[in-house]
Amino acid sequence: VTNLVLVGSSNISVFSVTGEYIDRFCKGVVGYPWGIAISEGNTVFVSDIELDCVHKFKLPTFQSVSKVGKRGTGVGKFLYPRNLTVTDGCVYVADRGNHRVAVMDTELKHRNYLTHQTMTSPFDVKVNNNKVYVLSDKDSPCLHVFSLTGEKIRSLITCDKDGNAQVRRCWSFCLDKKQNILMADYTGGKIKVFSQEGALLHTLGDTQGRNKIIKPDR
């Protein structure tokens, strides 16, 4: 994929890497798309927080292939699904309202759930180095780490030595090549980098000047 694909309130827009607008797709098909993941074979998966489902499209025209889900708590149902990722033939969906991560194959067939009593309102999920990282509770962020088979390994709560939250509101994160964790601090207006042990390594951005970041989201 050589273009930028952005989700909007009721459509999906495509731009070139230099910023030129190319086209808009899926109006009338999606409700409120939130997360997007592109897999091999130019297949796109999109979570929809209005229709409580996951769509599967084919590039470059975003032809609808299939979708799964409706509002509910049972197998194959979602409540406000947020970000998602696809890797090694599996689609992982942060099912916020059901406090779980849904795992499906790329045909959108249910496989299993990742759950834990300490994990509430997951917003984002990433798979890296045979581990599943789940960001839960955006207003008091915590990263939960699972094995690929669903066993909870540990939690990383980003607090300082006095117990104060170092990230006050976070909707998204990523991991770099060194396995460090980058979290978007929406309230603080910064990108904060943590080690795998949860120690704050450094901060990116400022509240003013050329490096100013205003309410980083996704």
Side-chain angles (χ1 to χ4, degrees):
V1 177
T2 57
N3 296 320
L4 302 177
V5 182
L6 306 177
V7 292
S9 60
S10 60
N11 58 72
I12 298 172
S13 298
V14 179
F15 295 81
S16 72
V17 292
T18 55
E20 290 86 8
Y21 172 76
I22 296 176
D23 209 342
R24 183 174 295 166
F25 300 92
C26 303
K27 190 171 182 63
V29 177
V30 296
Y32 196 128
W34 185 275
I36 186 168
I38 302 175
S39 71
E40 296 178 355
N42 287 331
T43 302
V44 182
F45 299 91
V46 177
S47 59
D48 192 321
I49 63 174
E50 180 178 314
L51 302 180
D52 292 296
C53 69
V54 173
H55 302 270
K56 180 179 180 180
F57 299 104
K58 195 73 171 179
L59 293 176
T61 60
F62 279 88
Q63 176 185 356
S64 180
V65 177
S66 61
K67 73 173 183 178
V68 65
K70 61 181 179 179
R71 180 162 296 190
T73 59
V75 174
K77 297 180 180 180
F78 299 96
L79 283 175
Y80 313 113
R82 296 291 176 162
N83 288 335
L84 74 168
T85 191
V86 57
T87 184
D88 295 330
C90 288
V91 182
Y92 297 79
V93 185
D95 188 1
R96 181 193 177 198
N98 284 319
H99 310 295
R100 65 194 183 193
V101 171
V103 184
M104 303 176 288
D105 64 23
T106 53
E107 298 301 318
L108 301 183
K109 302 297 184 183
H110 173 77
R111 285 194 172 182
N112 63 287
Y113 291 115
L114 303 182
T115 62
H116 196 269
Q117 63 267 26
T118 62
M119 186 174 74
T120 59
S121 302
F123 254 75
D124 200 2
V125 57
K126 300 286 191 297
V127 179
N128 189 282
N129 198 26
N130 292 322
K131 297 183 180 65
V132 183
Y133 295 79
V134 183
L135 172 68
S136 71
D137 194 353
K138 66 178 175 61
D139 293 319
S140 183
C142 177
L143 270 179
H144 304 269
V145 185
F146 293 85
S147 70
L148 291 177
T149 54
E151 290 82 13
K152 176 76 177 287
I153 299 174
R154 67 184 186 277
S155 294
L156 299 175
I157 303 174
T158 53
C159 294
D160 62 20
K161 63 181 180 180
D162 298 319
N164 300 311
Q166 296 187 88
V167 177
R168 286 170 286 175
R169 194 176 192 188
C170 181
W171 289 349
S172 185
F173 75 100
C174 67
L175 292 96
D176 66 15
K177 292 181 179 180
K178 296 180 179 179
Q179 308 300 310
N180 295 321
I181 302 159
L182 287 76
M183 302 182 73
D185 189 344
Y186 180 86
T187 302
K190 299 179 185 299
I191 306 298
K192 295 189 175 179
V193 184
F194 296 89
S195 70
Q196 281 285 324
E197 291 71 38
L200 180 62
L201 300 178
H202 53 271
T203 298
L204 308 175
D206 206 339
T207 56
Q208 57 186 355
R210 63 185 300 178
N211 294 323
K212 183 177 181 180
I213 299 177
I214 301 176
K215 297 181 178 180
D217 189 342
R218 285 173 280 172

